[in-house]
Amino acid sequence: MFGTLARCAESLSATPHNVSVALLPPVPLYRHILRAHRRLPDEMRSLGDAYVKSEFRRHQEVTNPGYILGFLAQWKRYLDDLPGNEDRMFKGKKLDPTVFEKMSKEQLAQLYELMHATKNVWKPDAESDSAAGDKP
């Protein structure tokens, strides 16, 4: 997938199309995202790195050009939303309700699992301290 996809993404980013973001080829995009995660707190970085790696591995064999371009466009938007310097913290944003309507059952299940994984990582310190004190 990545050989022909890289040429496709390069040609799209070189010429204007109806795509709102300039696409990067998959491998450079993957590397840029992992580098941008270095500026995140350790917990967010480890969760984000694992998620990015699994998503790129999972989509490595995809051959549908439309799906690939959508995949790259969404990850490029994610990269653009990450903080570029130390002054700005990544806060995320709410999903558009129309996005939920377009998701498959598998995607909704994956989003639900991700929500629970992030809640476990970002428990307030008071909760984790009291929970640790309760256990022998």
Side-chain angles (χ1 to χ4, degrees), residues 114-128:
L114 180 63
M115 178 188 72
H116 282 291
T118 57
K119 282 184 179 180
N120 291 336
V121 170
W122 288 103
K123 286 183 181 176
D125 290 335
E127 284 182 24
S128 62

Side-chain angles (χ1 to χ4, degrees), residues 2 16 74 84 88 90 100 109 114 118:
F2 289 150
Q74 289 299 320
R88 192 174 135 219
F90 181 69
F100 285 112
L114 180 63
T118 57

Side-chain angles (χ1 to χ4, degrees), residues 1 5 8-9 12 18-24 26 29 33 55-56 59 62-79 99 102 107:
M1 168 185 99
L5 185 58
C8 181
L12 276 177
N18 287 335
V19 179
S20 62
V21 293
L23 296 178
L24 291 172
L29 178 61
I33 292 170
E55 282 297 300
F56 273 79
H59 292 85
V62 173
T63 57
N64 180 347
Y67 188 84
I68 294 168
L69 292 177
F71 178 82
L72 293 175
Q74 289 299 320
W75 279 108
K76 178 65 169 95
R77 285 189 194 118
Y78 168 77
L79 177 63
V99 173
K102 296 178 182 178
Q107 290 171 323

Side-chain angles (χ1 to χ4, degrees), residues 35-79:
R35 283 188 196 120
H37 281 180
R38 292 177 187 167
R39 293 184 289 271
L40 297 174
D42 290 338
E43 297 87 5
M44 287 181 82
R45 180 182 178 183
S46 64
L47 181 67
D49 285 353
Y51 186 74
V52 169
K53 290 174 184 179
S54 70
E55 282 297 300
F56 273 79
R57 279 189 201 115
R58 189 175 302 137
H59 292 85
Q60 200 167 10
E61 302 299 322
V62 173
T63 57
N64 180 347
Y67 188 84
I68 294 168
L69 292 177
F71 178 82
L72 293 175
Q74 289 299 320
W75 279 108
K76 178 65 169 95
R77 285 189 194 118
Y78 168 77
L79 177 63

